[in-house]
Amino acid sequence: PEPTATPIPTVTPEPSATPVPSATPVPTMAPEPTIPPPASTGMTSEQDQALIELCRSQIGIRYVYAAMSPSVGFDCSGLTSYVYKTLFNITLPRISYQQAVYGTAVSSSDIRIGDILCFDWSRNDGITDHVGIYVGNGRYIHASSSNRTYYDDCGAVIESTVIFGRSPVVAIRRIIQ
């Protein structure tokens, strides 16, 4: 008998990925690095100047407890409230110790025009009882109940010097970021 050929097993090849010619590759541009916006600088120089001018225009206005207008008078928080409402349409809390927690705390080394200085003049208990607005160069404007420069019977809005370390500043608050 004739030898029979042994069938050779056939293997079906696995499908393989055949490279497909592609169009000319388009170079991809690396994305621009994302640069965060600069930290806020607060007020513009024009706003700084307007704030200083408005504050200084109030010097000599009578101190009147709980008042907040040039026609009647000011107490300390009434003056700060008036300035921020007039220039920026911002309504501050009405009482000094409430203003001492409004806005953002800043250090004396970072103080800028428009920041609110919060003092503890009366009891030395760390609770704000007086506020004023910083106008630059170590100066602030506030409605003083005790200064008798303008009136014999009451205080008035005055400009004073703050001496950090000697003045009882308990907080500095930035209203406009």
Side-chain angles (χ1 to χ4, degrees):
E2 246 180 80
T4 50
T6 15
I8 302 175
T10 58
V11 176
T12 308
E14 292 289 320
S16 64
T18 314
V20 176
S22 64
T24 307
V26 177
T28 56
M29 302 289 284
E32 289 290 321
T34 305
I35 300 170
S40 174
T41 58
M43 299 187 309
T44 65
S45 59
E46 292 81 15
Q47 289 172 319
D48 286 351
Q49 194 58 42
L51 182 134
I52 292 167
E53 288 173 9
L54 180 59
C55 287
R56 287 192 171 139
S57 73
Q58 306 310 304
I59 291 175
I61 302 278
R62 281 184 168 280
Y63 177 91
V64 177
Y65 180 75
M68 53 189 300
S69 77
S71 61
V72 175
F74 292 109
D75 68 2
C76 64
S77 57
L79 175 64
T80 54
S81 293
Y82 171 78
V83 169
Y84 272 93
K85 185 67 174 171
T86 300
L87 290 178
F88 308 110
N89 201 31
I90 294 173
T91 302
L92 296 179
R94 182 58 193 93
I95 301 167
S96 59
Y97 69 82
Q98 293 171 332
Q99 288 184 7
V101 295
Y102 192 80
T104 304
V106 295
S107 67
S108 59
S109 62
D110 190 34
I111 194 166
R112 293 194 306 234
I113 292 170
D115 289 345
I116 295 180
L117 289 163
C118 306
F119 298 91
D120 174 12
W121 285 110
S122 298
R123 294 191 180 94
N124 197 25
D125 58 4
I127 297 173
T128 297
D129 54 35
H130 186 68
V131 292
I133 299 177
Y134 189 72
V135 293
N137 299 318
R139 308 286 289 167
Y140 69 104
I141 295 178
H142 59 118
S144 170
S145 61
S146 60
N147 184 286
R148 300 291 188 257
T149 301
Y150 297 94
Y151 305 99
D152 292 335
D153 63 337
C154 69
V157 176
I158 61 172
E159 185 168 334
S160 299
T161 300
V162 62
I163 302 170
F164 295 106
R166 289 202 344 226
S167 299
V169 176
V170 293
I172 302 168
R173 305 303 292 193
R174 179 149 308 140
I175 305 306
I176 296 182
Q177 304 304 314

